[in-house]
Amino acid sequence: MNTSTPEVQGHGGTQKTQFRQLIKKMGSLIGLIGLSLILTFASPYFLTMDNIMNVARQSAINSLIAIGMLLAILTAGIDLSVGSILALSTVMMGIVVVKMGMSPIIGVAVCLGIGLLLGWLNGMMLTKMSLPHPFISTLGTMNVARGLALIVTAASPISNFPTSIQFLGAAFIGPIPVSFILVLVVYAAFHVFLNYTTVGRYIYAVGGNPEATRLSGISIDRVLIIVYTISGLMAALGGLVLVGRVNSAYPLAGLGYEFDAIAACIIGGASFMGGEGTVWGTLIGSMIMAVLRNGLNLLSVSAEMQTVAIGIVIILAVYIDVLRHKAAARVKA
């Protein structure tokens, strides 16, 4: 009897560990399903094809920005400049295409190129100026890019883009928004990038154990520059989708988008401590944000209260991340 007791306890401990791992992996998906069920009963309009496609379309911009933000968070960093990069890249595209009458192809190249350039500058400032945290470099870029967007447009919107530029944000293939198809393609590519490439594994290593990564001969500076360059590119791509949706580029576009992107990552299982997070978890986190906003609209909740609700969700998501790390520390102890 005595010899069998440790075996039973060990088996129970294994089951508890497996259960915790399952909850950790599936927690965000369970949350999305639970939220959807609540809204299905709360509103007869939620679970309709038109509304589901509307949620998919609404989630696209945040999903694109969030996947770039995920890379920064995986390295224990953050990118506060994504909303301002979105604004500057899109208004510059508007100036090139609408004001100067140049080809839409050149305009798209300018939009994505500015995103790449500003993201690269974020990475260079962080690494070459030895700044203590990306909060500083990206906060500076956030203000510079926003100011430039206001200056070059005289604080006025630019409208009437060609149909070809509106395609990603406005077109549908059957009932499915092209913007959401783009999101799925991008996320599949990032899944391969993070899980099956050397650079992807380095990104996890930099956030998980930077000292060991440095001692193994990996250039942390190079990895960080790649990460913030990609983040800038994804912000610009999100801006391209936004222009397609509203047929306008305006200098105040993207205000607060960085917080939605961070929330999507953390809700999806990423950690501010670095080294933890998945591509598909981030997509689910972005969908939760979109479903929540859509549900609050259907329930006629005021915009002010929606802001309060989103703020509470962000706080809870970060708190859950803290609890998750404390639990992991206790298990290790």
Side-chain angles (χ1 to χ4, degrees):
M1 291 293 291
N2 290 338
T3 56
S4 64
T5 302
E7 293 178 7
V8 173
Q9 290 176 342
H11 180 66
T14 302
Q15 286 182 326
K16 287 181 180 179
T17 302
Q18 291 174 344
F19 180 73
R20 288 195 192 100
Q21 290 175 345
L22 179 64
I23 292 297
K24 184 178 179 180
K25 289 181 179 179
M26 305 296 291
S28 55
L29 180 58
I30 294 170
L32 176 59
I33 294 171
L35 179 60
S36 299
L37 286 174
I38 292 170
L39 292 174
T40 298
F41 287 108
S43 172
Y45 304 107
F46 177 77
L47 199 62
T48 62
M49 179 58 72
D50 286 346
N51 191 59
I52 291 171
M53 290 300 102
N54 186 40
V55 170
R57 190 176 180 218
Q58 289 175 346
S59 70
I61 297 168
N62 188 36
S63 296
L64 292 171
I65 298 173
I67 192 62
M69 185 69 73
L70 173 66
L71 301 190
I73 290 176
L74 285 175
T75 61
I78 197 171
D79 189 348
L80 297 177
S81 66
V82 289
S84 297
I85 289 176
L86 178 151
L88 182 59
S89 60
T90 53
V91 297
M92 289 304 298
M93 177 175 66
I95 290 172
V96 168
V97 175
V98 178
K99 301 291 187 182
M100 300 174 64
M102 299 180 72
S103 166
I105 295 175
I106 295 176
V108 171
V110 167
C111 177
L112 299 180
I114 288 175
L116 277 170
L117 175 62
L118 292 176
W120 178 79
L121 286 173
N122 277 335
M124 291 296 289
M125 285 190 291
L126 174 64
T127 56
K128 304 309 178 185
M129 295 174 65
S130 301
L131 297 178
H133 195 274
F135 178 92
I136 298 171
S137 55
T138 60
L139 179 63
T141 302
M142 178 183 77
N143 286 285
V144 170
R146 183 70 65 188
L148 288 174
L150 288 164
I151 290 169
V152 298
T153 61
S156 300
I158 302 172
S159 304
N160 300 318
F161 282 84
T163 305
S164 55
I165 285 184
Q166 296 180 50
F167 177 77
L168 287 179
F172 287 78
I173 296 178
I176 305 174
V178 168
S179 57
F180 192 68
I181 295 174
L182 172 66
V183 166
L184 294 178
V185 171
V186 167
Y187 270 67
F190 270 86
H191 175 77
V192 173
F193 171 65
L194 284 174
N195 291 283
Y196 300 104
T197 69
T198 302
V199 175
R201 289 190 289 270
Y202 288 171
I203 289 172
Y204 277 103
V206 167
N209 194 330
E211 188 59 31
T213 304
R214 184 179 292 106
L215 292 174
S216 67
I218 297 169
S219 173
I220 293 180
D221 286 0
R222 176 173 170 270
V223 172
L224 291 175
I225 291 170
I226 291 172
V227 162
Y228 286 93
T229 301
I230 293 174
S231 182
L233 174 64
M234 296 315 299
L237 183 58
L240 194 57
V241 172
L242 177 62
V243 167
R245 278 189 59 186
V246 301
N247 190 22
S248 178
Y250 47 101
L252 294 180
L255 278 174
Y257 280 21
E258 57 273 13
F259 302 118
D260 280 2
I262 293 167
C265 294
I266 301 302
I267 291 170
S271 171
F272 278 127
M273 309 299 178
E276 292 182 27
T278 65
V279 167
W280 301 114
T282 300
L283 180 58
I284 292 171
S286 179
M287 292 300 297
I288 288 175
M289 296 288 289
V291 166
L292 180 61
R293 278 208 167 91
N294 177 263
L296 293 174
N297 282 328
L298 290 177
L299 297 175
S300 301
V301 177
S302 67
E304 294 80 7
M305 285 305 300
Q306 287 188 37
T307 303
V308 172
I310 296 298
I312 291 172
V313 168
I314 293 172
I315 293 170
L316 288 175
V318 175
Y319 183 57
I320 289 170
D321 177 43
V322 171
L323 292 179
R324 196 165 57 219
H325 273 82
K326 285 183 178 180
R330 283 196 297 268
V331 170
K332 287 180 180 178

